[in-house]
Amino acid sequence: MRVDPSGTYSFTVDVEPERGVADSGDLAVDLQELLETIGLAAREANTVIVLAVDELQEASSEDLAALNVALHNLGQDVFPVPVMFVGAGLPSLTAVLADATSYAEPLYDYRQIGLLDTAATSDALTVPARAHGVDWEPDALDAAVTATGGYPCFIQACGSHVWAVRATDTISLQDAQLGIESARSEVEQGLYQSRWERATPTQRAFMSAMAIDDDAPSSMAELVTRLRKKRTTDLSVNRRDLIRSGHIYTPERGFVAFTVPGMADYIGQQGE
């Protein structure tokens, strides 16, 4: 008990906190315990828990390592709890997870989602519109499908901007052209420009050399020549850092490629 000069009494009671669930302070241990607890509850309720995380490549190496350890340990149980983890990210995610822990590659079932084909792109633009009584003129749809190149982010932006500028229940070629330009500006500023501005001068030179191949994979041996280096190890630091930052990934040994379609075209415009 304490009495201050104003005559006010105050009391302090010290109590040892009771240990709860997933509060050890070790993320890997706590995450495993948390997943086990909710998994047991799901089993009791005869259901399944699905945890989905987008942009997983943005997580820190420490957090990814804890995730890998927790999922690995859960999988060792004779009767694993009904918990499924689904992570989505850029193509560089495979390397990022492997950097976090060496056993990450066999831990996950990797599924690559590429660009949409022409039919799927057309459906993505027309089906939602038709649900609201709006149709596309054939030449307008062709222009949008061609411009977006099957890239989901661009398709979504294009559909949104075209919808905003349309004046009638039929989307015209002019509507499509206006929407495409607005969508292109949105994607460039929100995706390409931010990646370009975050890169160092040497990293920009590396990506500019890659841009010569458009969106196709670039050979590290060819990049050595283009950048006037002597060996591939001279480019290893930029290559590693660009992979970690999600700018590029390795589609196969000895090659690198941009993680987002259209990056090469954007870089090419910077030199104009």
Side-chain angles (χ1 to χ4, degrees), residues 15 51 53 72 91 103 112 232 243 257:
V15 178
L51 302 176
V53 179
H72 173 74
Y103 54 81
Q112 186 169 356
T232 55
I243 290 175

Side-chain angles (χ1 to χ4, degrees), residues 143-168:
V145 169
T146 301
T148 56
Y151 185 31
C153 179
F154 198 174
I155 296 170
Q156 184 177 26
C158 182
S160 175
H161 285 284
V162 169
W163 185 266
V165 301
R166 69 177 180 83
T168 68

Side-chain angles (χ1 to χ4, degrees), residues 90-93 95 112 210 217 242-243 246-252 255-260:
L90 295 173
S92 57
L93 179 57
Q112 186 169 356
M210 289 178 58
L242 285 170
I243 290 175
H247 288 65
I248 66 174
Y249 73 108
T250 54
E252 58 182 296
F255 287 82
V256 290
F258 292 113
T259 55
V260 293

Side-chain angles (χ1 to χ4, degrees), residues 122-136 141 159 162-163 166 169 171:
S122 179
D123 286 344
L125 293 168
T126 59
V127 172
R130 286 173 184 159
H132 292 277
V134 176
D135 288 314
W136 288 70
L141 181 59
V162 169
W163 185 266
R166 69 177 180 83
D169 288 341
I171 297 173

Side-chain angles (χ1 to χ4, degrees), residues 5-20:
S6 66
T8 301
Y9 292 86
S10 62
F11 297 86
T12 301
V13 179
D14 294 326
V15 178
E16 282 294 323
E18 183 177 351
R19 188 180 184 281

Side-chain angles (χ1 to χ4, degrees), residues 101-122:
T101 53
S102 59
Y103 54 81
E105 187 170 353
L107 182 62
Y108 298 96
D109 179 14
Y110 295 95
R111 305 292 179 91
Q112 186 169 356
I113 302 175
L115 300 177
L116 300 185
D117 60 23
T118 299
T121 301
S122 179

